[in-house]
Amino acid sequence: MKTVSAVELDAVDRKMLRLLQEDGRMTNTDLARRVALSESACLRRLRALETAGVIRRYAAVINERAVGLPISVFVTVTLSSQSEAALSAFEQAVAAVPEVMECYLMTGGADYLLRLVVRDVDDLERLHAKALTRLPGVHRVSSSVAMRPVVKRGALPV
């Protein structure tokens, strides 16, 4: 993932971002009206936010349960080696596992923290045996099944 430096945002930029996080399909006309700008000025600001990497992409938020993936599993992975080559090989391979929704390089006891989505315990067992333990350099895998989300935000507090 490309690293982006923090961008100076004024109150209008922040309001635009809050509104777009609520409704990414909002038209430029509606956005301009809500932030009290002309349509052309609003579009210029929007394009500048996209170019600066503040807005990476637009996407639909899918209900995981509705598509048959109701279980979130948090997995810690410890590698046999923390060399740059070992980290790179693992990261490339884990990115190809479709059930991995998020993967973070960590400090502390484990090297990586992953969030997976699965259909059921059998699906988790299959994923563990056929994918996770076969990733390059994996020494130890530990999983915790989430019972239910308590806080799950899609919008940043801008």
Side-chain angles (χ1 to χ4, degrees):
M1 180 179 289
K2 181 181 164 190
T3 303
V4 176
S5 298
V7 175
E8 285 291 324
L9 302 172
D10 66 14
V12 174
D13 293 329
R14 291 178 188 284
K15 187 170 184 181
M16 288 174 66
L17 294 173
R18 284 192 301 273
L19 290 166
L20 287 170
Q21 286 183 114
E22 290 173 16
D23 180 5
R25 294 181 68 176
M26 181 179 296
T27 66
N28 185 61
T29 301
D30 289 340
L31 183 60
R33 182 181 48 76
R34 303 263 316 260
V35 296
L37 289 176
S38 70
E39 289 181 33
S40 59
C42 183
L43 189 57
R44 272 194 304 276
R45 280 179 176 257
L46 187 59
R47 296 292 179 248
L49 291 168
E50 292 168 350
T51 300
V54 174
I55 298 174
R56 289 189 321 193
R57 62 187 174 94
Y58 298 88
V61 178
I62 308 296
N63 180 328
E64 294 162 357
R65 184 171 297 279
V67 296
L69 297 166
I71 300 173
S72 283
V73 182
F74 293 88
V75 177
T76 57
V77 176
T78 304
L79 301 182
S80 304
S81 166
Q82 286 75 37
S83 70
E84 190 172 327
L87 297 176
S88 181
F90 175 83
E91 290 172 11
Q92 186 174 8
V94 78
V97 179
E99 295 88 350
V100 174
M101 302 309 297
E102 300 172 70
C103 176
Y104 299 93
L105 178 62
M106 303 296 290
T107 62
D111 296 310
Y112 290 94
L113 175 65
L114 286 58
R115 184 176 74 86
L116 318 175
V117 290
V118 295
R119 290 185 306 273
D120 51 34
V121 175
D122 292 336
D123 196 24
L124 174 58
E125 182 180 10
R126 176 201 53 80
L127 187 61
H128 185 276
K130 303 245 187 263
L132 299 179
T133 57
R134 295 183 181 183
L135 291 169
V138 169
H139 174 68
R140 183 176 34 251
V141 173
S142 177
S143 303
S144 297
V145 175
M147 295 179 66
R148 65 179 167 86
V150 175
V151 175
K152 185 175 181 182
R153 293 185 177 96
L156 294 173
V158 293

